[in-house]
Amino acid sequence: MAILGRIPVEFGAVFPHGVYATGAAEPQTNFETKRQEIDKVTNLPVWVVDVYDADPEAGGKSAAIRVKVMAKVCPVLPEPAWGPFRPVEFSGLTLTPYVEEMGRDNNGNIRTRVAYSFRATGVGPVGGANKAARPAKDAA
């Protein structure tokens, strides 16, 4: 069986050490239309949040990640905890694997790696982003 499209994942399973946003969410521009991109699945505007993976083993290009957030309005990120770093958590997180070309080796062969495109339905402070997605406890 093939898995097609976006794969739902738990934030903590993908980022067990957390992530840190370094700025505000910005509109994702569609380079053909020069307008804000609209997600084909949800039909909502797409916003981009640049984050760094806090995993000490994630280095270089693997640590810098762009997460696309589908939302009617621009997500507001929490205030920085120190310097420009804002600990955040994503809700409704999905990933889509793809093959990224990384150039050529000394023999002229194309070097590739598996990379991931991340999308989410929400972003917020650590411990707060998934509150809406969690079932309410019964009052009984």
Side-chain angles (χ1 to χ4, degrees), residues 27-38:
Q28 171 71 39
T29 302
N30 179 309
F31 291 102
E32 291 178 14
T33 64
K34 305 296 184 214
R35 294 184 175 169
Q36 185 171 10
E37 182 180 316
I38 301 297

Side-chain angles (χ1 to χ4, degrees), residues 16-138:
H17 298 276
V19 294
Y20 295 90
T22 55
E26 298 180 359
Q28 171 71 39
T29 302
N30 179 309
F31 291 102
E32 291 178 14
T33 64
K34 305 296 184 214
R35 294 184 175 169
Q36 185 171 10
E37 182 180 316
I38 301 297
D39 182 67
K40 294 174 184 163
V41 174
T42 64
N43 208 30
L44 291 171
V46 179
W47 309 89
V48 178
V49 179
D50 290 322
V51 297
Y52 283 96
D53 188 346
D55 185 344
E57 294 185 23
K61 197 172 187 181
S62 297
I65 300 164
R66 300 193 97 191
V67 179
K68 295 179 180 179
V69 179
M70 286 79 63
K72 287 183 181 182
V73 297
C74 183
V76 177
L77 301 181
E79 291 298 317
W82 59 92
F85 300 105
R86 306 160 189 260
V88 296
E89 187 175 291
F90 292 95
S91 58
L93 188 63
T94 65
L95 63 83
T96 305
Y98 65 96
V99 176
E100 179 182 37
E101 291 187 11
M102 299 175 51
R104 296 186 179 268
D105 63 17
N106 293 336
N107 297 324
N109 299 316
I110 297 174
R111 296 182 337 188
T112 61
R113 73 176 186 133
V114 175
Y116 301 95
S117 172
F118 294 96
R119 289 186 181 255
T121 57
V123 59
V126 173
N130 289 319
K131 284 183 182 172
R134 293 182 184 141
K137 292 185 179 183
D138 292 332

